[in-house]
Amino acid sequence: MSGNDRAPRPGDAPFTERTPRVVAAKRLTRRSGRDRAERFLAEGAQAVREALAWAAAGRGRVHELFVTDAAAARNPSLVRDAVDAGVPVSAVTDRAAAALSETVTPQGVVAVCSPVDVPLAVALGDGARLVAVLHGVADPGNAGTVVRVADAAGADAVIFAGDAVDPHNGKCVRASTGSVFHLPIARARDAGEAFAALRGAGLRLVAADGYAPEDLVTADLRGDLAAPTAWVFGSEAHGLPDDVVDSLDAALKVPIYGGAESLNLATAAAVCLYASARAQRA
């Protein structure tokens, strides 16, 4: 069953892993396939629920929902919401669901969605005050977690800059727990273009740098964090290149009071973004 506005019914022959629609969707597990089709997969009830709300708000489109019998039984309201929204719902076998999954334990519910990213100018909009920039962050789990943190901190946008991971990567989408559907996301292969757009929007560019001479607390006490800020985060393994740090308006480190050598990317991002969010709301 596919291409209509009803949920799968008993007796419908489910799609298998060889069904052309499933084969086409499986190509979206690769970046090249996503780029060609301009679609991506959102797996799991939470992600699909957020995708449907995102589409209902007119910010994107859910093209199809694949669901196993067991997953449909566990999530009847989700299937009903998809049907009510006019999204084709296609029954699939467990093996077909596994083919579409990038997890060890497939959840049996996968949505085919249009891309979430928007142009830089749209992402920054009018009056953006807090933005997270992921410069060359290659690990999709880290990137997705930072998107989730930025969403929780009330950031206005997340920018994937330079040679960064695709925000539509399956692991990134899962790590965001649906936050990729909540706030504007933009991609800028040219990091300099992103920095120029951020400055043009009135934001101060601050590097999160573990080797910076000044720390977050000092800057906060001085009132610097109350200004519109774009926090720039580098990869977990290498941080930000020196030339990038030098090109920004400031560099701050998170003070470490104990014996830990450093903080991981997502934790550092949470500290930095929440510090700015608190200062801006004070």
Side-chain angles (χ1 to χ4, degrees):
M1 190 284 299
S2 64
N4 56 36
D5 58 356
R6 67 175 178 87
R9 296 173 181 169
D12 285 337
F15 288 172
T16 73
E17 68 274 17
R18 298 184 183 87
T19 302
R21 293 280 278 279
V22 176
V23 172
K26 181 175 172 56
R27 296 192 187 104
L28 304 180
T29 60
R30 295 182 177 274
R31 185 167 189 165
S32 59
R34 294 191 294 270
D35 289 345
R36 280 195 298 270
E38 296 186 343
R39 299 183 182 188
F40 76 104
L41 300 179
E43 181 186 2
Q46 176 66 20
V48 172
R49 192 173 293 111
E50 300 296 348
L52 289 171
W54 165 77
R59 295 171 53 214
R61 181 181 174 190
V62 177
H63 295 273
E64 186 166 10
L65 180 64
F66 296 105
V67 62
T68 64
D69 288 345
R74 288 193 304 268
N75 303 281
S77 62
L78 186 65
V79 175
R80 185 167 56 252
D81 288 346
V83 171
D84 290 346
V87 175
V89 179
S90 301
V92 295
T93 63
D94 289 341
R95 290 184 65 175
L100 298 176
S101 176
E102 298 176 71
T103 64
V104 175
T105 307
Q107 297 190 42
V109 52
V110 180
V112 178
C113 307
S114 62
V116 297
D117 60 310
V118 298
L120 268 171
V122 173
L124 297 178
D126 295 322
R129 292 185 56 80
L130 183 58
V131 175
V133 182
L134 297 175
H135 183 283
V137 174
D139 183 276
N142 286 335
T145 303
V146 174
V147 172
R148 180 181 183 183
V149 165
D151 182 20
D156 296 295
V158 177
I159 312 299
F160 285 66
D163 191 20
V165 68
D166 178 9
H168 304 101
N169 176 286
K171 188 174 182 180
C172 183
V173 174
R174 290 193 302 277
S176 81
T177 64
S179 286
V180 292
F181 297 108
H182 292 171
L183 75 175
I185 290 175
R187 291 192 280 183
R189 183 73 175 181
D190 184 342
E193 175 191 353
F195 296 156
L198 288 159
R199 283 199 177 97
L203 289 114
R204 181 170 179 256
L205 275 64
V206 180
D209 179 14
Y211 299 101
E214 190 167 72
D215 67 38
L216 187 72
V217 175
T218 302
D220 191 14
L221 290 173
R222 196 167 53 231
D224 292 352
L225 299 187
T229 300
W231 278 100
V232 184
F233 304 102
S235 70
E236 180 127 17
H238 306 293
L240 289 167
D242 290 342
D243 62 329
V244 170
V245 175
D246 292 343
S247 73
L248 303 181
D249 302 315
L252 297 173
K253 64 185 176 184
V254 176
I256 295 188
Y257 302 120
E261 185 272 333
S262 64
L263 295 174
N264 65 31
L265 171 60
T267 303
V271 174
C272 295
L273 291 168
Y274 267 95
S276 285
R278 182 204 59 77
Q280 290 178 2
R281 287 166 170 73

